[in-house]
Amino acid sequence: MSDFIKPEWSYWISIISLAGIVAMFALLLITRRSGLSESSAGMPAKPTDHSWDEGTLQELNNPLPRWWVIKFFLLCVFAFLYLLVYPGLGTNKGLFAWTSTGQYQSELDAQAARSKAILGKYSAMDFASLSKDAPAHAIGQRLFLNNCAVCHGSNAKGSKSFPNLSDKDWLYGGEPDKIKETITGGRNGIMPAFKTVLSNDQIGAVAHYVRSLSGLPHDAAKVAAGQTAFAANCVACHGSDAKGNQAVGAPNLTDSTWLYGPSIKEITFGVTNGRNNVMPVQANYLSPEQIHLVAAYVWSLSNEATK
């Protein structure tokens, strides 16, 4: 396919495009003059070999109506002007140097300018004030529904592997700046796999120890071994008290909030194979003003200073 981007192809495309217009123009002239000469001489239209109903219906070779021919001439002129103005002759950029990418970007810029004019007044407001401002709160909610609900749900309560944003449990922190940081730059939470570090028995013991931290049913005989394995391998992220570390997004293992579920099966799978959760970067899709509003809406879901 690399042959199609050689400079020679640009010339061929230009020649073929222009030759097609010229040929069509010439064909119209030839056929039109032939038809007019016969008509001016008072000669009847020539019959063709096409007939039906035993010769009762005969197809005649009449010239095209004048308005139709004029339309075709104008189309040829339009085609030539179009190729002169817009890119259509190989690598020639045209008089306007138009590109679909450039038009798309200009439309994005225009939309961003309109959005900034409307939403800019909210940028200086803190989250508590925004949550009490009905129009701002409604805009933040719509932005959330359009961009975040596909993962976190329309009620923001999340689902398996997607965090609940309506409670006080935060992986990276629920302060306004942290929420904006998360939305803007995204997150990539990685739980390393321990299948090459711990034996199956040790992983099972860790699972029972972790369940014991939040008061869930567990095998008491395995807790001591699980605690030892946990202290040697897990405290770097989850802390010696297992309450997590928001600096790296390590969850608190002592509460009742579980991203994948509290069953022995899910905990064992996570410790064995690890986890890799990605929160996509929203700065690629939302302006700073929009991020400020959607972050304020998310913050309002778990704070009392709303409405």
Side-chain angles (χ1 to χ4, degrees), residues 171-172 188-190 236-238 244-251:
L171 291 174
Y172 292 90
N188 188 3
I190 299 176
C237 292
H238 294 284
N245 182 357
Q246 292 184 345
V248 295

Side-chain angles (χ1 to χ4, degrees), residues 137-160:
H137 190 77
I139 294 172
Q141 183 181 35
R142 287 196 295 271
L143 288 170
F144 180 89
L145 292 174
N146 289 334
N147 297 276
C148 314
V150 65
C151 292
H152 296 284
S154 57
N155 59 2
K157 293 187 179 298
S159 60
K160 185 177 180 179

Side-chain angles (χ1 to χ4, degrees), residues 54-107:
E54 298 180 352
T56 303
L57 297 175
Q58 180 76 43
E59 182 179 354
L60 302 178
N61 188 15
N62 288 308
L64 290 173
R66 184 183 298 275
W67 67 268
W68 204 342
V69 175
I70 293 174
K71 182 187 72 171
F72 280 133
F73 278 125
L74 292 176
L75 286 175
C76 289
V77 174
F78 172 80
F80 177 78
L81 293 176
Y82 183 89
L83 293 177
L84 184 66
V85 173
Y86 291 98
L89 297 176
T91 57
N92 178 50
K93 295 182 179 180
L95 296 179
F96 290 171
W98 178 91
T99 64
S100 58
T101 303
Q103 179 172 337
Y104 174 70
Q105 187 58 50
S106 66
E107 291 174 358

Side-chain angles (χ1 to χ4, degrees), residues 137 144 155-156 165-167 296-303 306-307:
H137 190 77
F144 180 89
N155 59 2
L165 303 180
S166 64
D167 58 15
Y297 171 74
V298 171
W299 177 88
S300 73
L301 298 175
S302 58
N303 287 274
T306 60
K307 303 179 182 60

Side-chain angles (χ1 to χ4, degrees), residues 39-58:
S39 176
S40 61
M43 297 176 62
K46 294 180 179 180
T48 67
D49 294 334
H50 302 157
S51 62
W52 301 268
D53 198 14
E54 298 180 352
T56 303
L57 297 175
Q58 180 76 43

